[in-house]
Structures are given as structure tokens and as C-alpha cells.
Amino acid sequence: MKKIIYSVAVIFLITVSCSSDFNEVKPVGVLESTTFFNSESNTEEALIGLYDLVQFNNDQAWNSAFFIKVLPGDEANAGGGTATDQKQLQEIDDYSNISISNPSLEGVWNKEYKTIALANTIIEKVEAGSLSTKTFAIAEAKFMRAWCYFELTTMWGDVPLRLENPTTISAEAFAKPKSSRAEIYAQIEADLAVAIAGLPDKSVVKNNFRVSKGAAQALLGKVLVFQGKTLAAIPYLKAVIDNPAHGLESDVKKVWLKDSEFGKESLFEVGFITTKGYTFTTANLAGREESNIFIQLMGPRGDGYFNLTGTGLRNGWGFNLPTAKILSAFDAAGDVNRKAATVMSEAELVSFGGSKAGTPWDYEGGIRTKYAPRASETSAGGVVEANYGTNLRLFRFAEVLLLAAEAYNKEGQDANARIELNKIRNRAGLADVSSTLTGANLFNAIVNEKFLELAFEGQRFWDLVRWGRANTELSSKGYTAKNDLYPIPASEIAKNKALTIADQNPGY
């Protein structure tokens, strides 16, 4: 995905700058937005800018939504070189003294709102105009706004609901109180209803990286499941499942590789390329490069720790290491194929011809193979480590099946729940669950299947919280109830006059 819209995005984000200094000086180079959206090509570029911002929010090395959604779960440890390597990430991983000024959390918060700001601008300007593409443009922008608010309320709870941008650059114009999670959900549902009505089917999307009607239906189903509205969620999830444009990739080992990027299993995916020829001088770990630095970050640590002979993997920097718990869960399930696509035990490493020397920080006996560095995923141009093109799958059809299984189970439709659950199991090479598995026992099977299928994809912790299982699964690691939400960034409270320290999330 080319960054053809970077300058446009900056133009419309200036009114919600994350700086604590406000002034009335008009930024140099700002276009007149009153006429900008009269052009269909300009509007198209602005819409592409939304994808650029989502990419930015997920690939910025240490301030990544992808990273902070994974870390509090029980399938991954922060890893890295030492207990102080990227200390802000270690805090999140260990639930220990998470600072209200944690830069990773602050970075994600700000980029979610920057994306919302551009979406707001597109919605406002296009609604006031008469473009032939008006319905589609508003639908796509509202999907993106819904996506960002769902992430914000999942991780932070009650947050400011900004549906229009400040008209002046001042602290007074920026001030916005928190809205309740119920209000946030209501807005998400309203935005997704518009998105469903205005987006095309996946089979006819203009560009393969763009969201479809099915993506909006699936997201609305997920939002409803998260609220416990499982009966209302079923029709939306079923619509995606019944649509032949969506489906599971046949080979579980290829789901996260370039071979299947933007394929039938993908509902929302962040794209990367291998052709920029970056060096460590020209690549930018602060984000906005077109390659995926996370693949290097999450590879088995070099420095003499891992010899990867025979594995097909390359060394990386050792972040996001698998826990012993996820390794054991695959083994307990007899899950050979999906395990091979996700993690590798030390014994398996040795069986391939590799070896380990010493014990890296946070290492519990395994390395990850999902989102791992592979020669086939990069290019010879520039520095290999800086040019991985592996896409991040933010939302997959497999998750829709698991959400549907959960919804059916909660509504007492266990036969339907087993059908959707078994699709996931069969793709992994596992047998159907017993036809007599029902009720709470079936729900436990769904929970475990989701642990295995979505490992390292940023779902596990937030599921444990909404299921009321976080304390049982995580208290031994230091989790307490305050960790259900991240702290509102101190910078937001400092610059938002409608917030005070009393608005901080409990425990921080």
C-alpha cells in the first residue's frame, strides 16, 4: 500500500494535534478544505489516507496498536534484550506500575484519534457535497471511525466521542468530556449500519486492501458479541459466513504469509511491501515505512542465542515471545499443524537441526513461527531485516466463525455453534468436537479454540476480560482488576480542559 496520501492526512489532522501547545497560527501549506472534497480524486486520496493511518498505528515499532493489544495476554511475553528493553512494553506485559505517561499507550491513543479526525473531515465535507461517490465515501470513512472507536473503548473504556473536529486550534475548542462505553457502542453501531449499506461486496471491492460490506457486517457482529447482544449479532455474522466471497484459507500454515495476503480469509488487513530497499539508515522505526518492521522485532533473538538451521526462519530481535502456556495448549489439543504455523518448541528447533545457547529475557521454551522472519517474506534489496512485506491480519474470517460459535452457544443453539467451531478445527487438522458437547463445556471448547487460532493477534486478553476470566488466567502474572483498562494518557488530561484527574481510569 503506497503512502500517496501522507501530506493530505497531515492537512486534516492539524486540528487535533497531540501537542499540549495550542496556538492560532495558521499552518503553512494547508489547502482550503471547502473545495478539496469537490473532487472525486481528492476524496479518493483522503480515503486511502485512512488506511495509511491505520498502517501507521500498527507498524510504529514501539507505539503500535498491534503490540499493545497482544502484550497483556497469556500467550506472549514482551521479550527483547533485558527487563528494561523498551520498559514501557515490559510494564504492559507485567501489569506492573503502568505509567499514565506510557509512550506506547499515548502513541496509540493519539493515532486512533488522528484517524478519527480524518474520518470526521471526510464525512462532514462529503455529506455537504454532491459527489457521485458520496454514499461509498461516507460508508468507508464511517467504517474506519467505528474501527478506531471500538479499539479505543475496548482498551480504555469511556473515552471522548469526537464526531466533529475543532474549528479553531485552541484548548477550548479541543475540550471534550468522556462519553460512556454505552454511548461509544451506540455510535459504532450507527456508523457500521451506514457502512454496511454503502460498502461493496468483497468480490467487487475496488482495491484488495479495502474493507467491504462483509467487513462491516463482521465488525458489527463482533461489537454486539462484546456487549453480550449475542442474538442480535447472529444475523450479521451469518451473513458473512454464508457469503462465498469469504472463507478459510485451505492451508493453515499459509494464513499469515504473503501467499494469502488480502485473500478470502481477510476482512481487514494492513499491507506492506518488500520493494523499497530500505537500509537501517533509510528505514524509520518511528513508523511510516512501507515494510513491516514487526517481523524483524518478533523474530527469534540473534546475539548467538538461536541457531535456526533447518527451520526456514531468520533471526530477529526477540520481542513478543511465546509463553510456556501457549506451547502446552497446542500440545494438549494434539494440534500439530496449527502449532507449526504458530510456535516452535526448543525440542522442535533441535529436531530441525538448530540449537539454542543461553536464555534470552522472557524466554519460556519456544519461539514464534506466526509473523516470524522468513527469507521468502523479504527481498535482497537494501537490508533484508528492514524489508519484510508480511501483512498484519487485523480481522479474519476465522474469528467470525468463533464469534458465531460463541453467539450460538450463548443463545442455546449448540448444534449451530458446533458447526462453526468444527470448521476451524477441521482446517487445523483436528476432529470434530463431540456431538454431545453442549452448554458451558462447549463454551470452554470455544474459548480454548480461540486461544489457539488467534494467538498473537491481539484478542486473548480482551476476551478474558469480557468473559470474567482474566483473574483466573492471569493473577499469577500480576494482573489485577485495574488492568482491565489502560490509563488515560496524562497528556490527554493535561490538554483536554473537559477532563480532570478524576476522569482517570480506576487504579491509576
Side-chain angles (χ1 to χ4, degrees):
M1 177 173 58
K2 296 288 190 285
K3 286 197 168 69
I4 61 175
I5 193 57
Y6 176 71
S7 60
V8 176
V10 170
I11 290 166
F12 297 108
L13 301 179
I14 192 69
T15 58
V16 287
S17 166
C18 58
S19 169
S20 60
D21 297 321
F22 293 94
N23 59 71
E24 302 296 338
V25 178
K26 185 176 179 179
V28 176
V30 173
L31 297 180
E32 290 297 331
S33 61
T34 55
T35 61
F36 183 87
F37 286 97
N38 291 342
S39 161
E40 289 187 6
S41 62
N42 285 351
T43 300
E44 178 74 356
E45 288 188 354
L47 289 169
I48 301 300
L50 292 169
Y51 292 89
D52 178 79
L53 288 168
V54 173
Q55 184 197 60
F56 183 30
N57 199 10
N58 282 277
D59 80 337
Q60 189 175 10
W62 312 120
N63 303 336
S64 158
F66 170 80
F67 221 158
I68 71 166
K69 288 189 294 184
V70 172
L71 280 180
D74 52 358
E75 77 268 46
N77 291 329
T82 66
T84 57
D85 192 352
Q86 299 303 320
K87 184 176 181 294
Q88 77 278 12
L89 299 178
Q90 308 291 340
E91 288 178 3
I92 295 169
D93 179 43
D94 297 333
Y95 316 107
S96 59
N97 300 316
I98 299 176
S99 170
I100 60 173
S101 299
N102 184 294
S104 293
L105 300 181
E106 179 184 47
V108 171
W109 171 282
N110 287 333
K111 290 194 291 292
E112 298 282 9
Y113 275 109
K114 285 181 178 181
T115 310
I116 289 167
L118 180 55
N120 286 343
T121 295
I122 294 170
I123 293 164
E124 176 192 351
K125 301 302 181 183
V126 173
E127 279 183 338
S130 57
L131 293 177
S132 63
T133 56
K134 179 176 182 176
T135 298
F136 165 77
I138 293 171
E140 194 165 34
K142 287 196 172 184
F143 175 93
M144 291 297 194
R145 186 167 71 180
W147 177 270
C148 292
Y149 272 122
F150 185 48
E151 293 214 308
L152 283 165
T153 197
T154 298
M155 292 187 278
W156 280 279
D158 300 346
V159 298
L161 181 59
R162 299 183 180 278
L163 301 180
E164 59 284 316
N165 297 335
T167 56
T168 61
I169 304 172
S170 66
E172 289 73 22
F174 184 79
K176 194 78 170 179
K178 293 200 299 184
S179 292
S180 70
R181 180 176 271 178
E183 292 172 307
I184 303 295
Y185 276 139
Q187 184 61 49
I188 292 169
E189 291 180 34
D191 279 353
L192 290 175
V194 174
I196 290 167
L199 289 173
D201 188 79
K202 183 177 175 67
S203 61
V204 292
V205 290
K206 185 174 181 180
N207 308 102
N208 61 5
F209 62 83
R210 298 176 88 156
V211 293
S212 67
K213 180 187 298 287
Q217 290 168 322
L219 183 56
L220 182 51
K222 181 174 179 176
V223 169
L224 291 168
V225 169
F226 267 55
Q227 296 176 79
K229 300 177 180 179
T230 47
L231 185 61
I234 288 172
Y236 295 104
L237 299 171
K238 188 175 186 300
V240 180
I241 293 167
D242 291 345
N243 185 340
H246 306 282
L248 294 173
E249 297 291 341
S250 58
D251 186 350
V252 71
K253 294 181 181 178
K254 293 184 177 180
V255 172
W256 303 279
L257 302 180
K258 286 199 300 181
D259 288 351
S260 65
E261 65 183 22
F262 301 121
K264 63 182 179 179
E265 190 161 342
S266 177
L267 292 164
F268 192 25
E269 183 170 332
V270 174
F272 299 95
I273 58 176
T274 65
T275 56
K276 284 293 187 177
Y278 291 119
T279 66
F280 283 128
T281 300
T282 60
N284 180 11
L285 292 183
R288 307 210 79 90
E289 71 280 349
E290 295 287 357
S291 60
N292 187 353
I293 193 63
F294 267 98
I295 303 305
Q296 177 64 18
L297 291 177
M298 297 187 297
R301 193 167 182 85
D303 300 334
Y305 283 114
F306 292 102
N307 170 3
L308 301 173
T309 299
T311 64
L313 305 180
R314 294 176 52 85
N315 287 113
W317 298 338
F319 284 88
N320 235 349
L321 284 172
T323 60
K325 184 174 184 176
I326 189 65
L327 289 161
S328 297
F330 278 110
D331 292 339
D335 192 344
V336 176
N337 296 334
R338 189 167 44 183
K339 178 186 178 185
T342 310
V343 291
M344 182 186 299
S345 70
E346 191 171 319
E348 289 162 340
L349 169 67
V350 172
S351 73
F352 278 113
S355 60
K356 183 184 75 72
T359 302
W361 168 249
D362 263 353
Y363 177 75
E364 293 186 6
I367 56 179
R368 58 155 74 227
T369 53
K370 180 188 287 190
Y371 291 136
R374 303 171 189 272
S376 60
E377 298 286 299
T378 185
S379 67
V383 175
V384 170
E385 293 84 350
N387 288 281
Y388 286 103
T390 309
N391 292 355
L392 294 177
R393 280 69 168 173
L394 301 184
F395 198 15
R396 295 194 288 122
F397 182 76
E399 186 179 353
V400 173
L401 296 177
L402 290 163
L403 288 164
E406 178 182 346
Y408 281 128
N409 171 252
K410 291 299 182 183
E411 294 302 323
Q413 301 180 43
D414 286 340
N416 287 334
R418 289 192 296 270
I419 288 171
E420 307 309 336
L421 177 61
N422 286 334
K423 291 175 185 176
I424 297 289
R425 291 179 59 81
N426 294 166
R427 198 266 296 271
L430 299 174
D432 289 354
V433 295
S434 170
S435 60
T436 63
L437 195 63
T438 60
N441 290 332
L442 177 56
F443 179 70
N444 289 336
I446 294 167
V447 168
N448 191 60
E449 201 68 34
K450 199 170 189 183
F451 186 34
L452 302 175
E453 178 66 30
L454 299 183
F456 312 112
E457 295 185 47
Q459 295 302 315
R460 172 67 171 179
F461 177 76
W462 315 103
D463 280 339
L464 291 177
V465 169
R466 70 183 179 88
W467 290 330
R469 297 187 173 203
N471 190 61
T472 300
E473 299 291 341
L474 302 170
S475 60
S476 63
K477 294 184 63 178
Y479 161 89
T480 64
K482 85 169 192 177
N483 301 120
D484 287 352
L485 298 173
Y486 287 138
I488 302 295
S491 60
E492 176 70 21
I493 294 175
K495 68 176 181 274
N496 185 343
K497 286 189 171 183
L499 300 181
T500 70
I501 194 64
D503 291 302
Q504 183 55 269
N505 283 330
Y508 293 103

